[in-house]
Amino acid sequence: DVRAPGGESFSGLCQRCRPALEALAQHGGRIAVVAHAGTVRAALALALGSAAAGMAFQIAPLSLTHLTARGGCWSIATVNWTPRRGPQSTEAV
């Protein structure tokens, strides 16, 4: 686990994010969290039970990652979703 001078390791980030993510999950319903890619990876690590597995993801800017938490169990529904863009897109951006 590497830490930049004066910085935080990814495991440290996961440990810091975990209580907040678990508290949000206890509220139930839909909750949107706008966060840096590192926090998204920490949430994925929580869902997968492994910091190394969370670090394996490349998180695209302005993408959507959808996690579900029920009864303390996490599932990953979507990672890095973005609206389809281009001349054939019919979705509003």
Side-chain angles (χ1 to χ4, degrees):
D1 209 21
V2 180
R3 175 191 315 218
E8 178 176 43
S9 67
F10 183 66
S11 291
L13 175 65
C14 291
Q15 290 172 3
R16 186 167 52 90
C17 290
R18 183 182 190 118
L21 294 169
E22 288 176 340
L24 288 170
Q26 289 181 7
H27 287 296
R30 293 179 182 215
I31 299 171
V33 177
V34 179
H36 186 273
T39 304
V40 175
R41 284 188 197 97
L44 291 166
L46 175 62
L48 294 167
S50 164
M55 277 297 291
F57 287 90
Q58 292 184 6
I59 304 302
L62 304 173
S63 66
L64 176 94
T65 294
H66 177 192
L67 303 177
T68 302
R70 288 193 178 93
C73 296
W74 292 81
S75 64
I76 301 168
T78 306
V79 176
N80 277 336
W81 181 87
T82 57
R84 197 174 99 198
R85 297 177 188 210
Q88 298 176 355
S89 176
T90 59
E91 297 179 16
V93 178

